[in-house]
Amino acid sequence: MDNAAFFNACRNGVMGPTLDADEVSGAEAILKAMDGAPLANCAYALATSWHETAHTMQPVKEYGGPSYFFRMYDPQGQRPALAKANGNVHPGDGAKYFGRGYVQLTWRANYRRAGQRLGLNLEAQPELALDPTVAALILRRGMDEAWFTGKGFSDYMPASGPANRGQFIKARRIINGTDKSDLIAGYATAFQSALMAGGWQ
């Protein structure tokens, strides 16, 4: 793909009118991870990241701090049964396995699974989910393989060619139900146009 043409289209569209180095490098990490993916899948991965990272295109930590993570995710916190069901069985797991990435990878069991899929020890080093290259791979594999909600790209996206706005709206269920689905569909439509301008195959 012609990255210069892609980013020029982004400047005139969803990411414009100027792009900083972090936005470019983050988008490039996602483009690399999505290599070979259908057009619509790549567009929706970019749109999801643009939204979930508050337009920084850099992996982010879940909002909150140690006390919040303890309450939400620790086996000694407010939801012990949920914590244990998701692999957080040791005191301190709440503060260790909170959300990180382009999409929020959360819970010990999910870090373990993602690490096994990628050949990385994310369970021992959960902070690796903040590395753009790793975060982008988690994004792709998770959306391809329906890690996050049980729904994946194949449930909503065409196998080739562009998706329409309605398909992008439905695709929000891959990540988070219908929250902000119309807004993110707009981003995806713009990214899809930019990818086409760059000659995404």
Side-chain angles (χ1 to χ4, degrees):
M1 189 181 77
D2 183 341
N3 279 19
F6 166 75
F7 283 115
N8 185 57
C10 287
R11 288 186 186 92
N12 292 317
V14 63
M15 295 176 74
T18 60
L19 302 178
D20 65 31
D22 283 344
E23 290 169 340
V24 171
S25 66
E28 287 177 336
I30 295 164
L31 291 172
K32 184 176 180 181
M34 296 301 294
D35 186 48
L39 169 68
N41 294 18
C42 186
Y44 202 74
L46 288 163
T48 295
S49 300
W50 183 245
H51 175 73
E52 297 291 346
T53 67
H55 303 179
T56 67
M57 293 305 256
Q58 290 295 306
V60 295
K61 294 181 179 180
E62 180 179 359
Y63 182 77
S67 62
Y68 173 78
F69 300 142
F70 174 83
R71 291 195 309 272
M72 295 299 290
Y73 305 128
D74 204 85
Q76 297 179 330
Q78 292 179 351
R79 307 187 298 173
L82 184 62
K84 292 172 184 175
N86 285 282
N88 285 19
V89 296
H90 303 295
D93 279 355
K96 190 172 184 180
Y97 298 109
F98 58 86
R100 298 177 178 89
Y102 286 118
V103 290
Q104 299 291 283
L105 187 67
T106 311
W107 306 112
R108 179 190 284 269
N110 292 332
Y111 277 90
R112 181 188 304 123
R113 177 179 61 177
Q116 289 170 344
R117 296 286 206 282
L118 299 177
L120 299 168
N121 195 348
L122 289 173
E123 186 176 6
Q125 296 179 283
E127 66 278 1
L128 289 176
L130 290 171
D131 178 279
T133 299
V134 175
L137 291 171
I138 292 169
L139 174 73
R140 177 169 186 178
R141 293 292 295 274
M143 296 179 87
D144 273 345
E145 299 173 12
W147 292 358
F148 306 117
T149 64
K151 297 292 185 181
F153 281 132
S154 64
D155 291 297
Y156 306 108
M157 295 289 93
S160 63
N164 60 45
R165 190 180 185 93
Q167 289 170 309
F168 283 138
I169 288 172
K170 291 178 181 177
R172 180 59 175 163
R173 292 178 173 87
I174 298 169
I175 300 296
N176 191 7
T178 59
D179 178 60
K180 305 294 185 183
S181 59
D182 191 63
L183 175 67
I184 300 165
Y187 298 153
T189 300
F191 276 119
Q192 182 169 257
S193 295
L195 288 165
M196 292 170 70
W200 184 269
Q201 296 289 327

